[in-house]
Structures are given as C-alpha cells and as structure tokens.
Amino acid sequence: MAELPEDAGGPSGPGRSAKETVAFIGLGIMGGPMAICLLRAGHSVIGFNRSPEKTERLSSAGGTAAGSIAEAAANADVVITMLPDSPDVEHAVMGAGGVLAHLRPGGLLIDMSTVHPRTARLIAREGEALGIDVLDAPVSGGEQGAVTGTLSIMVGGPVEAFARAGPVLSALGTTVVHVGPSGAGQIVKAANQMVVAGTLELLGEALIFLEAWDVDRELAVQVLAGGLAGSQVLDRKAAPMLARQFDPGFRIELHHKDLGIAMDAARQAGISLPVGALVAQLMGAARAQGLGELDHSALLVVLEALSGLSPGDLTPS
Ligand code: NAD
C-alpha cells in the first residue's frame, strides 16, 4: 500500500509542475465538477459526454469539448473515465471508437467509475497489451467531494502508473491510496459501499424509532453525531432525510449496482455477508418501488413502508 507523497499536489511540490492534457469521459454529477478541479490545478482538459450539453460548463471554465471519445483520447496524455456502470466503461474503453483504440502507447487510462473488479482487470490486460497503463481509481466523498477536490481515491494497478498519476489524482482527492494490483481499488470501493449503505439503513431505522417515541429528531441527531454513532453519513444525510429532500447526490440506481458488485464478488470469494445481503435487498426494493433516480437516502421511504408508515407520516421537523 502506498499513499501519494505530500508534494504530489502541494502548491509548491514537484508534482504540481507536471501538467497533463487530460481527456475526461463522462461529465455527470461527479465527472462534471472533477473536470473543473483538474482545470483549476492547471491541467488542460478535453471533455466528452454522451449528452453534449454537459460539456458546456467545462467549456466556459476554460476546457475544450470533444465530439467523440476518439477525438478526446487521441489528443490526451491521460484519459479519465467517470461513467455509470461496467458495460458503459467496457464500451467506452474497448469499443471500436473507444479509448484504447485512440490513446497513444505510453498513455495512461484512469477509470474512476465504480465497476466490477472483473472489468477493471480486463481493461488493464487489454491496455497492457497496447503499452497503455491502466489504473482503477474509484472514489468516495460524493458530489461535495467532487466539487471541492477532496475525494477519497482507492487505486489499483501498477505502482509506477500510480506514481505517474499523482499530479492528476491529487487535484481530485485529499486521500489517495494505492491499495494493490488491478481490481483492488474496486474491491475496496465495494467494501465502502456496503458500509455506507448499512449505515444509511440503520440511520433510517433510528429516525423511524425516534419518531415513534415522539423524540425531537434534530436534537437526537445532534447528540448522536457527537458520540460513537457519529459518522459522515450521519453528518451529511440526516438533515436531508428529515427534510425529505431526496434530490441526488448518489442515485439509488447506482448504489443498487454497487451492492450487486459487492454480492457477486463475495460469492466469487466464497464468503458470507448476511447484513450486506439484506441491505442490498432493501436497496433493490427501493429501486423496484420506482425510487431509482432519487438519492440513496430515500432508502428511508422503504423502511417507513415496513413499519406501515406512509411518507406523510414522517413530516419534516
Ligand atoms: P451520472 O449518471 O451523473 O454521470 C454519468 C455521465 O456519463 C452522464 O453525464 C452520462 O451522460 C455520461 N455517459 C454515459 N455513458 C456515456 C458514454 N458512453 N460516453 C460518454 N458519456 C457517457 O453518474 P455519477 O453520479 O457522476 O457517477 C459516475 C460514477 O461514479 C458511477 O460509477 C458511480 O457509481 C460513481 N460514484 C458516484 C458518486 C456520487 O455521489 N454520485 C460517488 C462515488 C462514486
């Protein structure tokens, strides 16, 4: 395991002077602000998104919009992909007009999407055969972390490629750790997603429990946050849950995908994760109930239904 050296992204460190031309594929909730962080750090950014209107913010901030993945990759030293799911990444990277067909040998591909470790390993193998370094570097920290460049980034792949990626990754995150070979970043991310979903689930149960006993939930959350029950999930999600503001953030659709990755990888490893499996089923129920486009904190709505509460029973405090 290695962390980026302190000077990898520091204002006067040597890493800061290594300016790269970065092609950024996927300018959604996360990729849009991440691309802006790269510009702010002095890198050149060529952005591509399937729906082209999402490149407008990048262009007005000083970046360039590309008309295709091929065009973006052909003009870059480093390509970052930030796409929804494994098939999207496989198509964007290995398809006919994809990254590997157009990035020059010696280039670096960093996939920052959350995908199956199998996809990460497949892309790394294909890249290696073409002389292209590949890292899997999924992130945690949400939209807020993407906007402020304070993501936690878990990186799998060759250690030399990790060192090379330093000036780019340090513009996006404050905790950047090399956790092992190709695919290891995605395994760590799957563990992260189980912890976040499980914490959200118990936070939802706690809010229902507090309401059932007619306790002021805002005061309860305040004191919970100061003790061992405190967490970033509590700090960032309790207030929107109480206010019933479920605009994404992180969509239930994506968390459902991530828990599917975790369950599949656990099965492949021959281990049992009973609570993780239960939470995965509850997230699946949220999606089945038509909540897939809401923030994952809307898991609360499913938990309310289990207690016979309609959404109106838990009014904003
Ligand atoms: P999003 O749906 O907001 O963004 C994905 C973007 O990719 C969209 O703009 C879409 O138009 C674009 N896109 C899809 N297919 C494309 C293609 N073939 N070529 C070019 N563009 C394409 O999703 P997001 O929330 O930004 O998440 C992206 C990834 O990051 C996912 O894997 C997600 O699990 C992960 N992630 C998200 C969060 C979060 O809080 N939103 C946090 C950590 C990790």
Side-chain angles (χ1 to χ4, degrees):
M1 189 196 87
E3 289 184 46
L4 285 179
E6 292 263 314
D7 62 5
S12 57
R16 204 62 166 181
S17 62
K19 303 303 180 201
E20 305 267 18
T21 299
V22 183
F24 208 114
I25 317 293
L27 299 166
I29 289 177
M30 296 296 285
M34 287 164 73
I36 305 281
C37 283
L38 289 171
L39 283 177
R40 247 188 257 132
H43 301 290
S44 303
V45 181
I46 311 168
F48 174 75
N49 195 82
R50 196 174 46 192
S51 20
E53 67 278 2
K54 292 197 181 162
T55 56
E56 280 164 19
R57 232 185 107 217
L58 178 70
S59 301
S60 42
T64 311
S68 65
I69 292 176
E71 183 193 333
N75 290 295
D77 310 306
V78 178
V79 177
I80 294 180
T81 40
M82 194 55 171
L83 299 167
D85 200 352
S86 305
D88 305 304
V89 171
E90 289 180 21
H91 184 257
V93 171
M94 299 188 298
V99 174
L100 293 182
H102 293 90
L103 181 60
R104 61 177 170 74
L108 171 66
L109 166 62
I110 312 174
D111 179 34
M112 304 192 77
S113 330
T114 304
V115 299
H116 202 292
R118 187 193 307 125
T119 295
R121 293 199 189 111
L122 176 65
I123 289 172
R125 269 201 311 275
E126 297 278 319
E128 194 183 358
L130 295 166
I132 292 170
D133 283 327
V134 180
L135 295 171
D136 49 298
V139 307
S140 179
E143 185 181 13
Q144 188 182 321
V147 170
T148 53
T150 54
L151 292 166
S152 190
I153 309 178
M154 35 221 109
V155 188
V159 74
E160 305 75 29
F162 174 68
R164 178 181 169 191
V168 167
L169 295 180
S170 62
L172 303 173
T174 39
T175 304
V176 185
V177 181
H178 182 251
V179 293
S182 298
Q186 296 296 350
I187 293 290
V188 176
K189 176 64 183 179
N192 181 85
Q193 293 307 79
M194 281 193 290
V195 173
V196 172
T199 310
L200 262 181
E201 199 275 346
L202 276 177
L203 175 58
E205 288 191 18
L207 294 180
I208 290 167
F209 176 71
L210 291 162
E211 175 72 353
W213 282 92
D214 210 18
V215 170
D216 184 311
R217 288 172 298 164
E218 281 181 1
L219 293 177
V221 163
Q222 193 183 322
V223 71
L224 287 175
L228 195 55
S231 69
Q232 284 202 38
V233 171
L234 186 85
D235 290 347
R236 284 158 62 170
K237 297 293 179 181
M241 283 162 98
L242 288 175
R244 311 194 70 76
Q245 281 167 1
F246 299 129
D247 295 339
F250 187 58
R251 291 184 286 125
I252 279 179
E253 190 71 48
L254 291 176
H255 213 149
H256 173 68
K257 175 252 312 177
D258 295 351
L259 295 173
I261 292 170
M263 291 304 107
D264 190 58
R267 186 185 171 97
Q268 203 181 327
I271 56 166
S272 170
L273 303 174
V275 175
L278 174 61
V279 176
Q281 289 297 313
L282 290 169
M283 200 66 78
R287 179 175 179 266
Q289 289 177 21
L291 308 177
E293 294 306 310
L294 298 185
D295 189 72
H296 53 168
S297 52
L299 189 59
L300 176 66
V301 175
V302 172
L303 302 173
E304 288 168 350
L306 292 176
S307 288
L309 302 168
S310 66
D313 290 324
L314 282 179
T315 47
S317 42

